Amino acid sequence: MSGTWISTRAWLMMLPLLVVMVAVIGWPLVDTVRLSFTDAKLVGTEGGFVGADNYVKMLTGSNFQRALITTSWFAVVSVAAEMVLGVLAALLLNQQFRGRTALRALMILPWALPTVVNATLWRLIYNPEYGALNAALTQLGLLDSYRSWLGEPGTALVALIVADCWKNFPLVALIALAALQAVPRDITAAALVDGAGSLNRFRFVIMPYLAGPLLVALVLRTIEAFKVFDIIWVMTRGGPANSTRTLSILVYQEAFSFQRAGSGASLALIVTLLVTILAVAYAALLRKAAGAS
């Protein structure tokens, strides 16, 4: 059987999938691009052609710039914390102790919870009237009176980052724990015999095995954190005073709350472009890391 026929047969077998992808992804994307060059409303008029006015308005507006800073801050801090906590948890769970299997199973629980459930749980913890956090801090003498953690611009974003870290650090821990299983025991034992301390064993023996998997985790979590929507929408809806409004929240408000479909479409494409740039940059890092190894 010729190679040409095999290739043609493969494409024919993939044809139903390609048709579905074009219908589900391709057409909505094309229509979004079309909408982004109009002043169309969500309901009613189709709107007229306005060229690149929507893009200029979004990119130069203070709302976009503030949302970009908030999104970047959220992504950098939350991902960095998740990476550190995930590696520490993996190192702990890689040790031999009673109850290790049960603890590993419990660690997966936050990640397995739906994001809406996780957000609702943390909203109850932060509740200014009967929240567990206020009660614990007050009883420990660390707080004089109950605070509205999600109602103050100075603490709302930090509270969201904590909730997001609790939800997602188990994913990093699982990836790191799987990588730790590949570290040869004789190498770590030899390093211990040679007098290498804990820090040097981690740096020179364990870290080379963790670098690749951790880079994959970094890619996944950064992209997800940059386009975060659900946990913020459930907990604060972008408030107070827009202090937790990320780019995804801004897209939703522009397109659906304000019913400006044209400018909402342009903003959505800008966010898509930013995420694509992140993905391409991280893919290059992955290829570079794979080539180095």
Side-chain angles (χ1 to χ4, degrees):
M1 188 177 295
S2 66
T4 303
W5 166 242
I6 294 176
S7 178
T8 304
R9 186 178 179 183
W11 279 106
L12 288 174
M13 293 178 67
M14 292 175 59
L15 185 60
L17 175 62
L18 294 175
V19 171
V20 172
M21 289 182 64
V22 169
V24 175
I25 300 176
W27 169 245
L29 180 61
V30 171
D31 194 51
T32 301
V33 173
R34 179 190 65 82
L35 276 176
S36 70
F37 292 101
T38 70
D39 58 355
K41 301 298 182 182
L42 186 63
V43 179
T45 177
E46 277 287 321
F49 181 77
V50 295
D53 288 353
N54 286 331
Y55 291 93
V56 174
K57 177 184 174 183
M58 289 295 104
L59 290 172
T60 58
S62 59
N63 288 337
F64 172 81
Q65 295 170 8
R66 184 177 178 183
L68 179 60
I69 292 173
T70 301
T71 303
S72 302
W73 176 254
F74 178 90
V76 170
V77 177
S78 62
V79 171
E82 289 163 17
M83 298 297 290
V84 173
L85 291 174
V87 171
L88 291 176
L91 291 172
L92 172 64
L93 295 175
N94 195 46
Q95 305 300 314
Q96 295 287 343
F97 58 89
R98 293 184 60 182
R100 183 180 67 168
T101 302
L103 190 57
R104 285 180 175 179
L106 287 175
M107 187 192 65
I108 301 175
L109 184 59
W111 180 60
L113 284 176
T115 305
V116 173
V117 176
N118 174 64
T120 303
L121 172 66
W122 278 96
R123 191 171 62 180
L124 293 174
I125 293 174
Y126 290 136
N127 189 280
E129 297 179 358
Y130 51 80
L133 179 60
N134 277 320
L137 293 178
T138 302
Q139 292 176 11
L140 290 172
L142 301 176
L143 200 65
D144 295 331
S145 59
Y146 281 19
R147 294 184 60 178
S148 178
W149 301 99
L150 297 177
E152 301 175 13
T155 59
L157 187 60
V158 176
L160 289 173
I161 290 173
V162 171
D164 186 72
C165 289
W166 185 83
K167 159 73 177 174
N168 292 300
F169 91 88
L171 173 63
V172 179
L174 287 175
I175 294 175
L177 183 60
L180 287 173
Q181 307 301 306
V183 179
R185 299 293 180 184
D186 54 346
I187 296 180
T188 56
L192 184 61
V193 170
D194 290 341
S198 300
L199 184 60
N200 285 330
R201 289 202 306 273
F202 175 78
R203 180 181 177 184
F204 296 108
V205 178
I206 297 176
M207 195 58 199
Y209 289 89
L210 285 178
L214 286 182
L215 186 57
V216 173
L218 180 65
V219 171
L220 295 176
R221 284 302 308 135
T222 302
I223 293 175
E224 288 298 318
F226 198 83
K227 59 182 185 179
V228 63
F229 175 83
D230 41 10
I231 190 171
I232 296 179
W233 186 253
V234 172
M235 294 182 68
T236 65
R237 294 184 181 268
N242 296 327
S243 61
T244 62
R245 184 168 65 178
T246 59
L247 289 174
S248 296
I249 298 290
L250 184 60
V251 170
Y252 178 86
Q253 291 177 341
E254 189 71 24
F256 297 101
S257 299
F258 306 143
Q259 297 192 1
R260 295 193 283 257
S263 55
S266 64
L267 185 57
L269 289 173
I270 292 171
V271 175
T272 302
L273 178 61
L274 291 174
V275 173
T276 302
I277 292 173
L278 277 177
V280 171
Y282 277 127
L285 282 177
L286 286 174
R287 285 197 299 269
K288 184 177 180 181
S293 60

